[in-house]
Amino acid sequence: MKWNSYTIHTTTAAEDLVVALLDELGIEGAMIENHVPLTAAEQGEMFIDFPPELGEDDGTSCVTFYLDADEADETRRQELLAKVMRGIEELRVFCDVGEGTITSAQTEDVDWINNWKNFFHPFYLDDILIKPTWEEIRPEDEGKVVIEIDPGISFGTGKHETTQLCIRQLRKYMKAGDRVLDVGCGSGILSIVALKLGAGSVVGTDIDEACLTSTYENFAVNHLARELGTFYCGNLIDDTGLQETVGEEAYEIVVANILADVIIPMAPVIPARMKKGGMFITSGIIDFKESAVVAALEQAGLEIVEINHQGEWVNVTARKN
């Protein structure tokens, strides 16, 4: 299938009204592009460690939407575009819509969700085999510790340096029967690894509801009982209800593969979740933010016991004394 993309050239002042117009006409999924820098709060919410370099904010904005390019729908499509143009002209009464023009292009129907699968193949992390769910286990891999993962729309195939750093630390510090808290669980890979390595149970949190679905699906393909893991949607940093729900002094291991700018404000609430002697294993830390994370963990009362590097990424492991 092919799609026609249409870009409305407008202003930042009008972009929200343009999106609302599209929504009223039944056009969903509009994409906004402008040169307005993200605030610090927005970067944190979106887990952006490196804000994009933007040109000078000139007040312009592009709002792009897509329509099916099927020739049979040409009449309906043209009628819909005419309504969009009329709506833009009507908006001029209320605000500066800028050019208010529409440009179009045609694109093939790209399967964004699944095309990346061409680049995810089985691999070993030390003696742990991590494989995608859609590939069979080879005879030579029988009897190995096998983690099967379908990340879906969440992050976590196990190939990223930060995930590997966390997995190695789980293997080093986790004991059989330990209770594990996985903060920012994503696809659930660290929870699954922990259980495969002998954890008694896991609790996980993530700000994205879709990650919880992905995690439970990956539990199923790894033949792990659903009741071995309990997962919640929420932000552990400031959600006191979630903090109470996951518990206090309840975990031998807390693992967080997130980002430095999330770990730092989260640091004060982590020790309360940990048992005495418990370990906090964290990564997602770019090397130039290592010292800031270390300082935050120490200020929270944790003892730094180990720092590891892989490429430009850092793991910090700390103990609650």
Side-chain angles (χ1 to χ4, degrees):
M1 181 183 294
K2 293 184 178 181
W3 296 83
N4 285 337
S5 67
Y6 298 92
T7 298
I8 302 171
H9 302 271
T10 184
T11 65
T12 54
E15 61 188 21
D16 288 340
L17 292 174
V18 170
V19 171
L21 166 66
L22 296 176
D23 188 60
E24 289 177 0
L25 294 173
I27 302 172
E28 300 178 344
M31 177 179 68
I32 297 175
E33 296 176 274
N34 57 38
H35 293 153
V36 178
L38 295 174
T39 65
E42 288 170 334
Q43 292 175 35
E45 290 173 0
M46 299 172 68
F47 285 7
I48 294 176
D49 218 6
F50 301 99
E53 295 185 3
L54 303 173
E56 182 181 354
D57 180 13
D58 58 1
T60 63
S61 176
C62 292
V63 179
T64 300
F65 61 96
Y66 295 86
L67 298 177
D68 184 351
D70 188 344
E71 292 183 1
D73 291 331
E74 179 63 23
T75 300
R76 186 191 67 85
R77 187 166 56 251
Q78 291 302 323
E79 291 175 350
L80 190 54
L81 288 172
K83 291 179 181 179
V84 172
M85 286 303 303
R86 285 198 298 271
I88 292 172
E89 291 306 309
E90 290 172 0
L91 289 177
R92 289 189 188 277
V93 177
F94 306 102
C95 66
D96 176 15
V97 299
E99 291 183 18
T101 58
I102 299 178
T103 56
S104 64
Q106 192 173 81
T107 180
E108 295 290 339
D109 184 12
V110 179
D111 189 351
W112 290 283
I113 295 296
N114 291 302
N115 279 5
W116 62 272
K117 291 181 178 181
N118 296 324
F119 305 97
F120 180 22
H121 303 289
F123 68 98
Y124 273 97
L125 177 59
D126 301 330
D127 59 345
I128 299 173
L129 174 63
I130 300 176
K131 62 173 286 294
T133 56
W134 53 89
E135 293 201 16
E136 298 295 326
I137 296 177
R138 301 172 300 180
E140 59 265 34
D141 295 324
E142 294 290 344
K144 304 290 185 181
V145 176
V146 179
I147 310 297
E148 297 195 69
I149 289 292
D150 181 355
I153 61 173
S154 61
F155 176 81
T157 65
K159 299 203 76 170
H160 197 274
E161 292 93 333
T162 62
T163 312
Q164 295 183 11
L165 285 163
C166 287
I167 290 174
R168 288 193 172 101
Q169 295 301 92
L170 280 172
R171 162 147 276 178
K172 183 172 183 177
Y173 289 102
M174 195 191 72
K175 302 181 297 297
D178 278 356
R179 196 171 186 218
V180 176
L181 174 62
D182 182 1
V183 183
C185 60
S187 67
I189 185 169
L190 293 179
S191 291
I192 292 167
V193 168
L195 290 169
K196 292 270 187 170
L197 294 178
S201 63
V202 295
V203 172
T205 68
D206 204 287
I207 63 170
D208 186 349
E209 188 79 38
C211 291
L212 276 57
T213 301
S214 180
T215 293
Y216 279 124
E217 290 174 348
N218 283 318
F219 261 51
V221 300
N222 281 278
H223 312 291
L224 294 172
R226 188 182 179 94
E227 55 266 26
L228 288 174
T230 306
F231 298 90
Y232 302 98
C233 184
N235 190 335
L236 199 64
I237 294 174
D238 54 13
D239 188 336
T240 55
L242 180 61
Q243 293 168 15
E244 293 174 2
T245 298
V246 301
E248 293 190 4
E249 296 191 353
Y251 305 93
E252 287 83 7
I253 299 288
V254 177
V255 61
N257 182 26
I258 313 180
L259 287 173
D261 289 341
V262 180
I263 296 166
I264 291 169
M266 185 186 294
V269 307
I270 292 298
R273 319 276 77 78
M274 302 165 64
K275 292 183 178 180
K276 291 182 179 179
M279 306 299 292
F280 180 42
I281 298 168
T282 188
S283 191
I285 306 160
I286 195 68
D287 50 15
F288 61 80
K289 294 193 176 182
E290 174 185 327
S291 59
V293 172
V294 168
L297 296 183
E298 289 180 333
Q299 187 173 356
L302 298 177
E303 175 195 1
I304 307 301
V305 297
E306 194 170 342
I307 297 175
N308 298 287
H309 298 81
Q310 187 171 338
E312 60 186 355
W313 298 98
V314 182
N315 149 254
V316 179
T317 300
R319 179 188 292 115
K320 177 181 178 180
N321 292 322

